Structures are given as structure tokens and as C-alpha cells.
Amino acid sequence: MRKKILVIGIMGVLTMSGMIGVIEAKKNDGITIQDGILTYSAGHYLEGELLTVGYDIFGYNYQAHLFKGYYCNAYLGGYGFPPYEGDDDAYYQRLVNEGFAENLLEAELLMSRIRYWAYRDIQLLMKWNDAWLSNRDRDGDGLLDRHYGYDSYIGSGAWLTNHMWGTYELDGKTCPWNYFVKIVAVPEDAKLIEGYWYTAEGSEIGPEIWGAFAIIQKIYNDPCMRYHVIEYLSPTSAGLGYYK
Ligand SMILES: [Ca+2]
């Protein structure tokens, strides 16, 4: 169950809300965050506000290609909610104060229906390259570019890493766990066979995920369960930037 959640979580990056406002690209290297034009998209909690360099209140640092914070905060902003700051009661009260709910019970019920809220205490560190999500808008659609220069992610060299950690209680003690995964866009000549991507030469890249991507490395550690496992390691390469 946990693994399924983790994999779903990573996918959120792909669908993470775009940055909006239709504007024209000013030159070949595009509009940067520093230009003070690009804004959060419609429906985002920060809708209409300018993107800024550095970490935002959710934990995204678009300039540096990073997210660091509570797992749920990778999504809450895009869903239109304020950031979670570690205190459930304070969060429910904030929802009431900001008009999301009439009272605390209603706020709690509301959040119980929100994807990822149940895993809000998990910490997440995501890193990606410019092909995955650029810190510029070079095609003039007002959005930070994805797979710039390519029709799709395939062949773009895009990659993402996702590191998660947390704790759980077992027989009165607190047990830590952590999980790490590397995901890459596959090369244009890659072949998908029975759920695994292969290079043109027939070498295994890794299990398919979200169509155009392959997992090239996956590690899970749970010391309480004496579980330290490289769950997957690509026999071709686990190097970021290798597959292009
Ligand atoms: Ca764009």
C-alpha cells in the first residue's frame, strides 16, 4: 500500500499546476521567474501571484528545480488550499478562517476527502532537471516549459528524483523509514516490452511508469523491519542524464 502511494505521489509532479497568464516570449531564452511576469495558475491557492525565486510557502523552488516539505504540500496549492505547516488543528482552523469550511468538523471532513492528506506527515524532497520542468517560459504560453524543444517527454532527457521519509510506531517505539526513486524519460528509440523499457540495443532500462518514463533506481529502507533493499537498479544505467 505504501509503495502504491509513493508512486502516485511522484506522478503529481507531472500534473502539477502550470504557471499562467498568456504572454509573449521576449527572446530565445524566454521569460524567467526573475522577470516578474509569470504567475501561479488559475485555481492555485496563490492564483495570480507572481512566481518568485527561492522556496514558496508550499516548498516549491521552481528556480532551483526543487521541492522540499510536507508531502501533501506538493499538491495542496494546486488544489487551491493553503500550505500545511505540521499542526492539524491549526490547519483546520485556518480553513474555517479563510472560508473553506463553516466549522472545524466540516474542515476535517473536507480534508479527509483530499488526496494525499492522509500522508501529510511524510517529508518529501523532489529534484528535477530543466527538461522535466523548466524555470523559464521559452514558448510564450505563460507556463514554465516542460520537455522544451520536444513534442513530448520521450527523448527529452527529463528526469526526476523523489526522496521520502517518515516514521511509524511499532511496539511502543518510533521507527524511521525512507524511500528513494529515480525516474527518467526514455529515449526516442526505446522499446516497451511487457511493462519494461529497453534500449534500441535490447538492454533493459527499467519498469515503465506513466507511459514515457522508466524507473531506473528504487531504494527502500526500514531499519525496524531490517529492510534495506535496492528494489530496482537498472542494468543499463542508473545515471541521471544517461538516457538521451
Ligand atoms: Ca511555456
Side-chain angles (χ1 to χ4, degrees), residues 136-146:
R136 294 167 184 263
D137 172 27
R138 283 165 289 198
D139 59 10
D141 65 354
L143 305 169
L144 296 178
D145 296 332
R146 294 169 188 276

Side-chain angles (χ1 to χ4, degrees), residues 22 34 46 71 85 92 102 110 128 138 149 182 201 206 218:
V22 177
Q34 292 91 327
L46 298 174
Y71 183 20
E85 294 172 329
Y92 296 139
E102 291 288 323
L110 171 68
W128 57 88
R138 283 165 289 198
K182 290 182 188 174
E201 293 75 34
K218 188 160 62 167

Side-chain angles (χ1 to χ4, degrees), residues 70-125:
Y70 290 105
Y71 183 20
C72 60
N73 282 340
Y75 307 97
L76 288 176
Y79 294 164
F81 292 108
Y84 177 64
E85 294 172 329
D87 182 332
D88 291 9
D89 292 337
Y91 193 80
Y92 296 139
Q93 185 61 54
R94 182 171 182 176
L95 293 180
V96 172
N97 295 348
E98 297 188 15
F100 289 94
E102 291 288 323
N103 53 56
L104 294 176
L105 275 177
E106 192 180 304
E108 189 169 349
L109 183 62
L110 171 68
M111 293 315 293
S112 73
R113 298 181 182 130
I114 302 299
R115 203 177 180 191
Y116 307 115
W117 178 249
Y119 316 105
R120 57 194 173 280
D121 59 333
I122 293 174
Q123 296 292 314
L124 170 63
L125 173 64

